Amino acid sequence: MTVASGTFRIGGEIGVRRLGFGAMRLPNEHGAPREASIAVLRRAVELGVTLIDTAFMYGWGANEELLAEALYPYPEDVLIATKVAIEQSAPGAEAQINGRPEFLRDQVEQALRRLRTERIELLQMHRLDPKVPLADQLGVLRELQDDGKIGHIGLSEVTVDELAEARRTVDVASVQNRYNLLDREHESVLDACAAAGIAFLPWRPVHPAASADTAEIAAVAAELDATAAQIALAWLLARSPVVVPIPGTASIAHLEENVAAGGLRLSDEQWRRLDGIGAR
C-alpha cells in the first residue's frame, strides 16, 4: 500500500495537501505563548501545509485573530477553514449550539473581519442545531455563498442521514467528524463521504492511538522507524483518498513529526494489521 499524503480538491476545486493543521491547541494569550503559536503557524506553511482549521469557539474568536496575525496576507495556496454555530452567552458560560439564520449570518461577518478576508473558502457548521430546521441553517449559508462571502460549505459531527439531508439544500464540500485508528464510530460517515467525493477531516486523528499501549501500533512503528502518532496518521491517509487529517499541536517538533508522516508507506500487510485493531 504505497499511499503518500498527496492532495485532495476541496469541493472539487481547491487543492490542499492531505495533511492539514488544526489550530485549536494553539495558545492565544499575548506574550511568549502567542509568539510561539505564531511560529508554529508559520512553520506549518513553510513545511507545505495548505489547510489550516480554526473556529470561533477556539478562544471565542481569538484563534481566528491569531491566524490572521501570523499569516495575513495569506499565501495563495493556503486554505483557512473556520466554523460557526457555537455561542457563549456570557464570559465563562458553557458553549451553546445556535443555528438561527441571523446568528449564523453575524458569525460569518465577524469571522470575515477577524480573518481579514472578504471570503471564507471553507465555512463549516461546528454543530447542527436540532432546534432550527436544517434547511434554514444551511439556507443562510447558501445565501452567503451566493453573495461571494463563502466559497464552500462543510459540516461537523453529523450522521449519514444528516449528511444526506444537508446535501438536498447545499453542496457539502467537507465533513469533520471524530475518527482515528482506535475510534471508528463514524466509519459509515466516512464511507458516505468517500462515495460522494466529499473531504473527510477527522478531528482528534492521533489520540488515543499515540498514547495507547497497543503492541501492533508499536510493532509497525518500530518496523518503519516512526512514532505511534505517525503510524496513526499514515493509517488514516491510507484509509481513503478523501481523508484529510488535521492534527493539532503547539510544538514545532510535533508539527514536523506530523508532517513527516505524509511520507510514510504502509505495506498492505501492515495496514491490515493496524486496521484490525479498530475492528476488535
Side-chain angles (χ1 to χ4, degrees), residues 159-256:
T159 65
V160 171
D161 289 343
E162 288 170 335
L163 173 59
E165 183 182 355
R167 294 183 67 204
R168 289 193 282 270
T169 301
V170 297
D171 289 330
V172 177
S174 69
V175 168
Q176 190 172 143
N177 280 20
R178 189 187 69 252
Y179 184 84
N180 58 61
L181 178 56
L182 298 180
D183 183 353
R184 315 281 184 84
E185 178 183 352
H186 297 294
E187 194 94 52
S188 60
V189 181
L190 169 52
D191 289 340
C193 287
I198 295 170
F200 186 86
L201 281 56
W203 62 270
R204 196 177 291 169
V206 171
H207 181 79
S211 57
D213 183 16
T214 304
E216 208 67 79
I217 296 175
V220 175
E223 291 164 14
L224 296 177
D225 191 24
T227 66
Q230 288 176 319
I231 295 304
L233 290 170
W235 178 84
L236 280 171
L237 291 168
R239 169 63 177 81
S240 169
V242 306
V243 173
V244 183
I246 47 171
T249 179
S251 160
I252 286 181
H254 287 160
L255 166 68
E256 292 173 345

Side-chain angles (χ1 to χ4, degrees), residues 2 32 43-44 56 61 71 150-151 157 175 196 204 210 240 245 257 280:
T2 57
R43 181 59 178 151
F56 170 69
L71 301 176
I150 294 173
E157 286 302 285
V175 168
R204 196 177 291 169
S240 169
E257 175 185 309
R280 294 170 189 165

Side-chain angles (χ1 to χ4, degrees), residues 21 26 35-45 249-252 255:
F21 178 79
L26 294 176
E35 292 303 316
S37 294
I38 289 172
V40 169
L41 286 165
R42 290 176 176 170
R43 181 59 178 151
V45 172
T249 179
S251 160
I252 286 181
L255 166 68

Side-chain angles (χ1 to χ4, degrees), residues 72-95:
Y72 184 85
Y74 305 111
E76 289 186 4
D77 62 342
V78 171
L79 169 63
I80 305 295
T82 192
K83 296 184 283 293
V84 296
I86 300 290
E87 69 172 334
Q88 186 184 42
S89 58
E94 291 187 5

